[in-house]
Amino acid sequence: MNKAFISKKFGTLNFILCIFIVCMHSDCSFSSTSTSVIKFFGLLNTFFDISVPLFFFLSAFWFYYKFDYIEDEFPIKIKKRINSLVIPYLSFSALYLIWNTVISKTFLFEYSTYSFLEMPIKTTAKIWILAKCDPAIWFVRPLIILQFISLPFYIFIKKNFLYGAFGAIIILLLNIILKSEYKNAVYWLPIFILGIWFAVHKDFFYSKISLIKHNKL
């Protein structure tokens, strides 16, 4: 499989997904009294919502793309994710926590949701780790959790081609039964498993895509 080709295609997709995320968070229909406007933005947001599951899929795919030596590669990739996900996540969460505390002491206090000067350290730590002052980055938290616990799923999926599909279906059914919440890591585990599945068996999927393209020509 041509990594440069895949990288280019997925890079373009990532850019499109970023635009979707921005559009989704630019919805101001809550300030409108028009039913038509509210319905219109509701339809758009339903379409833009595809960006979140695709981010989980692509993150899993790239994590296990050309992943051959577990003992050597897994620690290296986890270290990279700490630098690219964990540190930025905690940094932005801390920044917004401090910002909220600052504006709570100004004439803009009504726009502040939290002030760590008035709360116990344990409460502040919880709000910091859960990014309560910066809810827009919520999806980074389950993504971090899934990547840290993903190795057993990779080993399981690599044993048999069908295990990836079966695993995703089983977890999906469990989510429905247990009514998993949108922001929980387990909610996004099925799409994450599919990302691992596509990465592990990339040659099979690539051959099928190439065959379809060839038949169309």
Side-chain angles (χ1 to χ4, degrees), residues 50-69:
I50 195 176
S51 57
V52 179
L54 279 178
F55 269 129
F56 280 93
F57 176 88
L58 292 175
S59 295
F61 180 89
W62 280 121
F63 192 89
Y64 286 104
Y65 183 79
K66 290 195 173 181
F67 190 88
D68 300 314
Y69 304 100

Side-chain angles (χ1 to χ4, degrees), residues 119-137:
M119 294 290 180
I121 294 177
K122 287 185 178 180
T123 303
T124 299
K126 182 179 179 181
I127 289 175
W128 172 48
I129 293 173
L130 296 179
K132 291 293 186 180
C133 290
D134 188 12
I137 62 172

